[in-house]
Amino acid sequence: MSLFAIRNLSVDVPGRRLLHDLTMELPPRRVTALIGHNGSGKSTLLKTLARQIDGTGHIAFEGRALIDWNARDYARRLAFLPQTTPPAEGMIVRELVALGRYPWHGALGRFGPRDHAAVAEALEECAVTDFADRLVDTLSGGERQRVWLAMMVAQQANTLLLDEPISALDVAHQVEVLSLVRRMCQDQSRSAIIVLHDVNMAARYCDHIVALKAGRLAMQGSPADLMRPAALREIYGLPMDVLIRDDGLPVAVPA
């Protein structure tokens, strides 16, 4: 069964169509990258899957029509991290991670042993236990992203939607965050769909690639399918070469 089955999906805003009649299936238990140039529709597609915006057509999640999921059940199965995270002024790391338990007990529900255990496990899995009592605002960008990932883990959702989670990070922290996401999926059979700008990062850390161009599907397949000059030119509209590093990994560069 597909993670998401998408049929004839279109998304409109006044005077403009952002997504054009998309049809595709996204695999479960994989890290899927959404790539493409700016304005290609990557974030729009992700937000539609997260039910942040509406479109026309049909989307099924885990074999069930998206419109048939109630809000709480959907939040227990899927977690969404926007490109711009909400402010966390005055919050310590442990408190932010604990917000992931909201779908399980609501705003007024009591925090029980199961909730405390989920938070502790999330802190450990994302390697943020050592600064669990620090203010979120005092952390580096990479550390903050790991804390937000820990909140998603505490939510115990098996599907993670991440909108450009490495866009504001230096290269070292980009590698750290994507390595963590990949490990989280491999070790716990989770699924992740990530909006990325860096084609080389997508090819290195993701199992499945979806490329959009002007709101239309340009390519879908494996990293090997992506890392071909013809495919890259079709997606980005400029000549690109693919070089092979000493370790065998392909790297795309402008020709």
Side-chain angles (χ1 to χ4, degrees), residues 56-192:
T56 60
H58 177 78
I59 304 175
F61 174 63
E62 296 183 345
R64 181 177 171 188
L66 210 59
I67 59 174
D68 291 340
W69 288 85
N70 68 51
R72 175 166 287 190
D73 286 345
Y74 201 60
R76 290 177 174 180
R77 299 293 300 163
L78 179 144
F80 171 62
L81 186 65
Q83 182 178 350
T84 302
T85 53
E89 295 179 4
M91 295 187 70
I92 65 172
V93 168
R94 193 184 307 276
E95 292 171 336
L96 179 58
V97 174
L99 293 179
R101 299 304 298 162
Y102 178 83
W104 296 93
H105 57 66
L108 302 178
R110 300 185 63 179
F111 219 73
R114 182 174 296 179
D115 300 302
H116 287 291
V119 170
E121 291 168 5
L123 291 167
E124 180 69 24
E125 182 173 349
C126 296
V128 295
T129 303
D130 288 347
F131 43 85
D133 296 313
R134 283 178 55 186
L135 287 169
V136 175
D137 289 344
T138 67
L139 304 178
S140 70
E143 289 169 340
R144 282 197 299 272
Q145 283 299 78
R146 282 159 49 199
V147 170
W148 284 103
L149 288 172
M151 187 193 72
M152 300 174 82
V153 171
Q155 191 173 326
Q156 294 183 316
N158 283 334
T159 298
L160 313 177
L161 304 185
L162 310 170
D163 194 354
E164 298 191 36
I166 63 171
S167 61
L169 304 180
D170 59 42
V171 172
H173 285 114
Q174 290 179 11
V175 169
E176 179 183 280
V177 168
L178 290 180
S179 296
L180 173 59
V181 172
R182 184 167 179 82
R183 187 166 61 249
M184 288 164 59
C185 291
Q186 289 179 336
D187 293 349
Q188 302 295 331
S189 295
R190 294 188 184 97
S191 307

Side-chain angles (χ1 to χ4, degrees), residues 46-66:
L46 195 77
K47 291 175 183 177
T48 305
L49 299 180
R51 302 207 308 190
Q52 302 293 306
I53 58 178
D54 295 324
T56 60
H58 177 78
I59 304 175
F61 174 63
E62 296 183 345
R64 181 177 171 188
L66 210 59

Side-chain angles (χ1 to χ4, degrees), residues 7-12 17-22 54-57:
R7 299 286 180 270
N8 307 117
L9 173 65
S10 294
V11 174
D12 296 306
R17 174 156 287 188
L18 302 180
L19 295 178
H20 298 259
D21 200 32
L22 293 182
D54 295 324
T56 60

